[in-house]
Amino acid sequence: MARKPWSFKEDRRLMELAKSSTSLEDAAKQLGRSPDAIKRMALRLGLALKSKAGKKS
């Protein structure tokens, strides 16, 4: 499956979700992307998201 480019709006939304301590899985559902895609973008943006398993990503 080809990667869909991230929009500025999606970047901002991910930042908001990270600030509000949203889990990795919930952020993926809200943005309609895979947890791996969320993890990659969070790393690029310097954000920390926790998975429901309690691991810091």
Side-chain angles (χ1 to χ4, degrees):
M1 186 164 73
R3 291 184 188 174
K4 184 176 111 184
W6 283 71
S7 69
F8 179 73
K9 188 176 177 181
E10 288 175 306
D11 290 349
R12 300 294 301 172
R13 182 70 181 132
L14 182 55
M15 289 179 208
E16 291 169 11
L17 292 170
K19 283 183 185 173
S20 66
S21 301
T22 302
S23 73
L24 178 67
E25 293 82 1
D26 288 341
K29 284 179 191 169
Q30 289 186 41
L31 289 167
R33 294 188 178 259
S34 71
D36 282 342
I38 298 296
K39 197 182 297 185
R40 277 193 303 272
M41 185 51 75
L43 285 171
R44 284 181 61 193
L45 296 173
L47 304 171
L49 286 167
K50 295 182 181 179
S51 75
K52 285 186 176 177
K55 290 185 273 179
K56 196 171 187 180
S57 57

